Amino acid sequence: MRVLVLGGGYAGVALTRRLEDRLPNDVDLLLVDDTGEHLVQHELHRAIRRPAIVDEISIPLSDVTYRADVKTAAVTGIDADEQAVTLADGEEIEYDACAVCLGAETADYGIPGVTEHGQPLKRLPDAEAIRADFLDALDRPDGRVVIGGAGLSGVQTAGELAALAREELGSVDAGPELLLLEQQSSVAPGFDAAFQDAIAQALRDRGVRIRTDAVVAGADGDSVTLAGDEEIACEQFVWTGGITGTAALDGERPGVRGDLRIADRTFVLGDAARVVDADGGPVPASAQAAVREARAVAESVVRLVDQEQETESGDEGEALFPPRPEQFRFDAAGWVVSVGDGAVAQIGPAVLTGRAAKAAKAGTGAGYLGSVGEIERALDLVYDELGAAGDR
Ligand SMILES: Cc1cc2nc3c(=O)[nH]c(=O)nc-3n(C[C@H](O)[C@H](O)[C@H](O)COP(=O)(O)OP(=O)(O)OC[C@H]3O[C@@H](n4cnc5c(N)ncnc54)[C@H](O)[C@@H]3O)c2cc1C
């Protein structure tokens, strides 16, 4: 039997590690990822200001797995009816169970000029490109840098840019204006109002200007245009306005319910899917949701494998009905975002800022790295987070 995990992000790694512990040794477990590295994406914005953090947040997949085969290759197609995937070199791999954990791409929503002129933040080279252009933009104190989209990645990117300006110039006011645009009526749309307010305040305190109800309608090399035709001149345009499916899924993020399946033996989870949980609630695309979904899918895959092996060993009775898939329910443990060297956390109804929030942020990142066995990297990250200079 072969179990295939596509994508080595949060969902893929959490799932592979569970399956390594629980699947019998005679089941092939294959993890396919186009980079061969596990990127701790929720810290990616940090690499804009501190390139050295890459050592802590990019981990060879062979380091976080122990029995799965890891293949570095791009998936180009998934045929759930035929139970087969195609790789970029034309190789076809058949499976008995497959989990699609390919994450998402940055969406341009067809807005003219956004793909050409908006810089996404999804992968390590994106952080390098944003840093390089921002350092150039710092030479233009009368200029402007626009960040489009104030979700988790946009607010944290704005915070990093403000902190980088302060580190380079001594004061954020000595650099270009940092303008964060959000089409909805608040930053961090979808989160609790108190959390949103605290994030907005933390950004303003650090010199970021925020405009809400500002819909990006176009971009060229020199400006961003808002709906209503207002043109905003800028030296740099960072675009974190939303996500869409990967090419391997034809640009779609398939909708899945609590069983996280698109077919009997094909699961889609993490950012790759639009998940509505077993209680009917939409699940935010997030690292914490991806890891939790992986636990549910691991359970379902183990049931499938158990049944198949029982059938092969002659116990036909079990095979009359497919095994019941695990149902996923999402209950957020809390949220924490960095804003430069500060942080804002929501734990239950309480919203924290200052040292408590910073500790929560450091604990979240380090806790995650610890959960995939990366204790050294976890310690380095805590040092980076709590020892970072220049907090206020
Ligand atoms: C800057 C930033 C900050 C964020 N902050 C937070 C936060 O504070 N809290 C939070 O919960 N979430 C945060 N997020 C969101 C979080 O990172 C994502 O929700 C999470 O990464 C989704 O996990 P995933 O496993 O579905 O996908 P990913 O982590 O994106 O993993 C997908 C994997 O699939 C691989 N892949 C993609 N396409 C192919 C292909 N065709 N073939 C083979 N492999 C492929 C990729 O290389 C990658 O390894 C943040 C995101 C960003 C960008």
Side-chain angles (χ1 to χ4, degrees), residues 167-204:
E167 284 176 11
E168 293 289 317
L169 305 174
S171 158
V172 69
D173 299 331
E177 178 184 72
L178 280 173
L179 176 61
L180 177 62
L181 301 176
E182 170 53 50
Q183 68 171 351
Q184 303 219 25
S185 55
S186 62
V187 300
F191 291 91
D192 285 2
F195 189 51
Q196 295 171 336
D197 291 347
I199 293 171
Q201 193 56 52
L203 286 165
R204 289 195 184 102

Side-chain angles (χ1 to χ4, degrees), residues 70-89:
V70 175
K71 188 176 181 73
T72 303
V75 177
T76 52
I78 299 153
D79 187 333
D81 294 333
E82 295 297 321
Q83 291 179 204
V85 308
T86 312
L87 305 183
D89 64 3

